[in-house]
Amino acid sequence: MKIIKVFLTLLTLAIVILFAKNLMSDDDVPPFDDVDGPVFETNHKEYIEKKIESLGAKPNNIFYQALYNEIVGEISTLGKKEKLGESSSENKNNTDMLLNNVFTVYANKFIQTSFTVFEKSVWEQNDIDLIREESQKLSNSEFLANPSGIYDNLSSLQTIINKYDEVTNFISSSRRLRLKSNPYLLDYTFPFNTLKNKISKVERYKKNQLGNTYVNNNLQLHTKLSKIKKQLIKQYTDYVYYKINNHMGSYQEVPKKMGWNYYDTEIHSKLSLVYSTFKNNCQNNDYEYDSSVINAVKAKLDNEGADAYTYFN
């Protein structure tokens, strides 16, 4: 009997709650259909304005892309439900006004945060990628006025990113020269002019402060640029060392009847030219190299010449 009474009491309570819910007007429920979403104040416009004001007051050390998208979504939802005005025209005007206001506040906040990133000596790749993508989106916004301070600052951000990408791509393509599949063939000539041009470009970048004041702040780029010259000269040094070593003992493959002069013309003189050209190129351009490697391979070449002369005579 007690169980039946409890059941009837719960059933009556459920019916009362359902009846009360049906009596609620549309203005009594949140503007979103999601019951777990935020419960807005009665004055939806004032609520959004306070949220925009809160965005503008946030510090400039992080990005607020998610919050901006959230506010834009709320404005759009409220506008569609005509919660931002007493008439359709007022609702539309307030919707456009709030979207323009949040764009202005967010764009200024984004610009300030971006310049804060670029003033540092170390840039996080995630920040660079976000600034690249978001500055492009904001530049294409219907709310961006041209001319305006925001327009000029977004253009400056894109200029910084473009210069950063330019230097980064140069570094990636300059760490090592692309040589032919078999650069140790006797008639192959090392592309020294390409090496020289790349090193000259490194020096121009440094002299011109990487072409941009903010990009010049990036210590990572300076470090990578400084390594390029050493990497390229080491590649050139290795090329000389391995090319000469690759032909050691080759005189034994030449028939004796061909004689010393033939060997000297076709093999030894060409290897000697590889060595002497390297020395002249580095001396004329003040390039520092590992002299122990070059001296060692020169000694081998001299011994090879003496052995070959004995072999043919």
Side-chain angles (χ1 to χ4, degrees), residues 57-83:
K58 290 187 177 298
N60 300 328
N61 57 347
I62 61 174
F63 292 99
Y64 300 97
Q65 183 183 26
L67 178 57
Y68 169 67
N69 291 334
E70 176 185 313
I71 297 174
V72 169
E74 290 176 353
I75 295 172
S76 299
T77 299
L78 289 169
K80 289 178 181 178
K81 293 187 175 185
E82 298 197 351
K83 300 282 187 178

Side-chain angles (χ1 to χ4, degrees), residues 195-212:
L195 177 148
K196 183 179 177 180
N197 290 337
K198 287 186 177 295
I199 291 177
S200 295
K201 191 167 184 178
V202 168
E203 293 170 347
R204 286 198 302 273
Y205 271 131
K206 290 187 172 183
K207 183 179 180 180
N208 297 329
Q209 297 184 327
L210 305 190
N212 184 278

Side-chain angles (χ1 to χ4, degrees), residues 24-35:
M24 291 175 64
S25 67
D26 289 340
D27 291 334
D28 295 324
V29 298
F32 290 106
D33 293 332
D34 182 4
V35 295

Side-chain angles (χ1 to χ4, degrees), residues 264-308:
D264 183 49
T265 301
E266 297 299 325
I267 300 178
H268 192 76
S269 292
K270 292 181 178 180
L271 294 176
S272 296
L273 182 62
V274 171
Y275 165 79
S276 61
T277 300
F278 172 86
K279 290 276 289 187
N280 291 334
N281 285 337
C282 291
Q283 289 174 358
N284 293 338
N285 292 278
D286 294 326
Y287 292 165
E288 295 182 2
Y289 57 89
D290 190 341
S291 58
S292 64
V293 173
I294 296 302
N295 291 340
V297 79
K298 178 60 166 62
K300 283 188 175 184
L301 184 60
D302 291 342
N303 291 334
E304 176 84 353
D307 292 343

Side-chain angles (χ1 to χ4, degrees), residues 14-181:
I15 292 172
V16 170
I17 292 173
L18 181 62
F19 180 74
K21 186 176 180 181
N22 290 334
L23 289 178
M24 291 175 64
S25 67
D26 289 340
D27 291 334
D28 295 324
V29 298
F32 290 106
D33 293 332
D34 182 4
V35 295
D36 295 327
V39 178
F40 294 125
E41 301 173 11
T42 304
N43 191 328
H44 303 294
K45 177 174 172 288
E46 182 180 343
Y47 167 82
I48 293 297
E49 288 174 337
K50 288 181 178 179
K51 202 160 186 179
I52 294 173
E53 182 180 349
S54 174
L55 171 60
K58 290 187 177 298
N60 300 328
N61 57 347
I62 61 174
F63 292 99
Y64 300 97
Q65 183 183 26
L67 178 57
Y68 169 67
N69 291 334
E70 176 185 313
I71 297 174
V72 169
E74 290 176 353
I75 295 172
S76 299
T77 299
L78 289 169
K80 289 178 181 178
K81 293 187 175 185
E82 298 197 351
K83 300 282 187 178
L84 295 175
E86 295 182 359
S87 65
S88 295
S89 60
E90 183 183 12
N91 178 76
K92 183 180 185 307
N93 290 337
N94 285 337
T95 299
D96 292 342
M97 180 268 293
L98 290 172
L99 287 173
N100 183 75
N101 288 352
V102 72
F103 169 83
T104 301
V105 170
Y106 171 70
N108 281 319
K109 180 64 60 179
F110 169 79
I111 289 167
Q112 292 168 356
T113 305
S114 297
F115 280 117
T116 298
V117 169
F118 291 147
E119 287 170 354
K120 297 178 181 178
S121 59
V122 177
W123 300 0
E124 298 296 335
Q125 189 60 48
N126 288 340
D127 289 340
I128 297 171
D129 293 340
L130 188 150
I131 294 171
R132 179 189 291 108
E133 179 181 353
E134 196 68 359
S135 63
Q136 189 62 49
K137 286 182 180 178
L138 294 176
S139 296
N140 294 330
S141 172
E142 62 181 299
F143 300 106
L144 177 62
N146 180 19
S148 68
I150 293 177
Y151 178 88
D152 293 340
N153 284 325
L154 289 174
S155 297
S156 296
L157 291 179
Q158 291 175 2
T159 297
I160 295 169
I161 288 292
N162 290 340
K163 179 57 68 174
Y164 171 85
D165 288 341
E166 175 192 317
V167 178
T168 300
N169 290 336
F170 169 75
I171 292 172
S172 298
S173 65
S174 301
R175 291 191 179 102
R176 189 170 183 83
L177 300 182
R178 291 186 179 181
L179 306 182
K180 289 185 177 180
S181 57

